[in-house]
Amino acid sequence: MPMPTLMEIRDAVRSGRVGAREWIDRAIGSIQRLDPQLRALISYDGDRAMDLAEQIDEQVARGEPVGPLAGVPVLIKDNICTRFGRTTCASRILENFEAPYDAHVVQRLESAGAIILGKTNLDEFAMGSSTENSVWFPTRNPWSLEHVPGGSSGGSASAVAAGVVAGALGSDTGGSIRQPASFCGITGLKPTYGRVSRYGLVAYGSSLDQIGPLTRDVADAALLLQVIAGRDPRDSTSVDEPVPDYVAGLDRPVDGLRIGLAREYFGAGLDPEVRAAVEAAIAEFQAAGAEIVPVSLPHVKYAVACYYLVAVAEASSNLARYDGVHYGRRAERPQDYIDVYCSSRQEGFGAEVRRRIMLGTYALSSGYYDAYYLKALKVRTLIKRDFEEAFRLVDVVAGPTSPSPAWRLGEKLEDPLAMYLMDIYTVSANLAGIPGISVPCGFTQTGLPIGLQLMGPHFGEPRLLAAAGLYQRRTDWHTRVPPLASAAAA
Ligand code: GLN
């Protein structure tokens, strides 16, 4: 049975065929059936969701207009602040944190009629690529419970792939929407830096972070982006750039599409099955009439090194606010006031977060600043220029989202560097501030999904979505459902 999309659910609610309460009921049913295995959710509030659903159903019954996501259950990553429930960032230090306000994207979703059913699991403070760095529990991949769902938005990706909801929000600092989307066989979009307000997103790397959708297909990604995009005076980095009609744009023909291929995205370390699937996807574009153009991105070989300096430097500064005084957990029996800070942070942060705070503090410290942080900023500019040059020649740059499919739980936990290297293809888009999307483009022999990444120029989402949409009209990878979910639906 194919799983309904956001648009199908919304249409069913609007027409009164299947009401919002029914959709919430179904979503809660699948949480109860599937989540004990997947562990995609940190928390959910079925009663609150039911109350909101009832209001939508009444509005429909009275013939009142309802929003573009009326009655649609969605989930959001647990680093996005909500007035209801807790916002834990999967960290001990925020385990009881109740945000006093709603994030901008939460307000946007709710005023569009969406019903936020709960909050999804992540790597602590979004630091990781596997959702194993959560203080709560690791999340599992619905295609194989032995494998990670990717990260850090692994809970959102796992829940959408399993059909618990049709859409969810994640955040992407270095790949955390696109990589879990590719591992779980769904669509994930990181918008242009500044396209979506980060007000109410718990900061990790402020010059890199963006919120974006995880959905079954490109049309739904366009719809969610439509709802959350646009200027918000509460986030000074959100840009006052008109929000085009992303959804209507998908129906326009994609004439004269030029796809850039960079040798640097097909180098050593790329899994042969991933390479084959991505090459087949590019052949599909060629068959659809797109022109394939070689481009050169000579500096992306430094992207991982550059990213792991910029991101950890910003993280060390952003995480200074968790001091046991202003926010979150405080050590139980501190010896003195210095110990309040030290013990609260020692107890409150997990190993990976502590590692990054130390690396970032080191990179920013006097004497090392020029050698590390400043140099990384310069390399960042070179990477940005590489993409500017490429986008003079092409509309999108195509390649793999991740060099490998999902790995087994625990496989990379002892080797942080091996885990960092897995981000090789995703971090550049964040460093350059450009949009990127991952769409499913095949499976390994063992049945694990593979993702194709497309990247576009700043605010190039319309053409990026159109290219990804063209691919999905010609292929059916995005309609595949993991066996666990189809068994549950039967
Ligand atoms: N895996 C990358 C990191 O650990 C990216 C995470 C993210 O995008 N939030 O920093």
Side-chain angles (χ1 to χ4, degrees), residues 172-475:
D172 190 313
T173 305
S176 281
I177 291 173
R178 292 161 286 156
Q179 183 257 24
S182 91
F183 281 17
C184 292
I186 60 168
T187 301
L189 170 71
K190 181 201 91 76
T192 303
Y193 185 73
R195 180 72 294 185
V196 177
S197 166
R198 296 173 298 118
Y199 177 80
L201 171 69
V202 176
Y204 163 14
S206 305
S207 76
L208 305 156
D209 299 337
Q210 265 296 287
I211 298 172
L214 294 107
T215 54
R216 315 202 60 75
D217 64 19
V218 171
D220 273 1
L223 173 62
L224 267 186
L225 179 64
Q226 192 84 55
V227 166
I228 61 174
R231 167 83 182 147
D232 168 22
R234 297 169 300 183
D235 173 1
S236 62
T237 66
S238 82
V239 178
D240 197 5
E241 173 86 16
V243 179
D245 191 333
Y246 297 114
V247 178
L250 284 178
D251 292 330
R252 286 192 210 115
V254 201
D255 291 333
L257 184 66
R258 292 161 309 165
I259 308 257
L261 281 194
R263 178 165 47 82
E264 292 83 357
Y265 273 68
F266 295 87
L270 177 58
D271 176 278
E273 286 186 290
V274 174
R275 177 194 293 272
V278 170
E279 285 174 352
I282 288 157
E284 193 63 50
F285 275 110
Q286 208 161 12
E291 190 190 343
I292 310 298
V293 181
V295 294
S296 155
L297 300 167
H299 298 96
V300 298
K301 57 174 178 284
Y302 305 118
V304 169
C306 175
Y307 170 81
Y308 276 97
L309 279 165
V310 175
V312 298
E314 294 183 8
S316 77
S317 156
N318 274 324
L319 269 54
R321 72 191 65 167
Y322 306 103
D323 54 8
V325 179
H326 294 87
Y327 285 95
R329 185 188 170 93
R330 178 179 304 183
E332 299 249 321
R333 283 185 203 79
Q335 273 153 19
D336 50 35
Y337 80 94
I338 293 287
D339 196 35
V340 174
Y341 304 137
C342 296
S343 296
S344 301
R345 287 167 69 80
Q346 177 71 29
E347 293 166 15
F349 291 134
E352 182 60 28
V353 174
R354 291 203 304 273
R355 171 162 33 243
R356 293 188 187 205
I357 292 173
M358 287 190 281
L359 285 169
T361 307
Y362 184 82
L364 288 174
S365 57
S366 94
Y368 296 104
Y369 184 94
D370 290 4
Y372 294 111
Y373 184 64
L374 196 64
K375 181 158 297 160
L377 290 187
K378 290 177 180 170
V379 173
R380 182 178 189 173
T381 302
L382 296 174
I383 292 171
K384 202 166 156 225
R385 282 197 200 140
D386 280 1
F387 280 96
E388 280 164 10
E389 288 298 318
F391 290 126
R392 277 188 227 281
L393 304 173
V394 297
D395 302 296
V396 300
V397 170
T401 304
S402 166
S404 83
W407 53 84
R408 286 179 183 277
L409 267 93
E411 200 181 306
K412 297 195 196 294
L413 270 184
E414 302 308 316
D415 187 352
L417 189 59
M419 185 94 86
Y420 298 171
L421 285 170
M422 290 290 121
D423 299 334
I424 179 162
Y425 299 138
T426 47
V427 293
S428 299
N430 305 77
L431 291 168
I434 58 175
I437 190 167
S438 180
V439 291
C441 72
F443 288 85
T444 64
Q445 298 230 306
T446 57
L448 294 169
I450 299 171
L452 166 76
Q453 178 176 222
L454 304 174
M455 290 174 284
H458 291 107
F459 297 99
E461 280 87 350
R463 196 115 173 112
L464 187 65
L465 290 163
L470 171 73
Y471 179 71
Q472 287 192 342
R473 279 200 295 282
R474 300 176 61 93
T475 54

Side-chain angles (χ1 to χ4, degrees), residues 145-158:
L145 296 174
E146 306 304 305
H147 287 81
V148 301
S152 63
S153 312
S156 289
S158 176

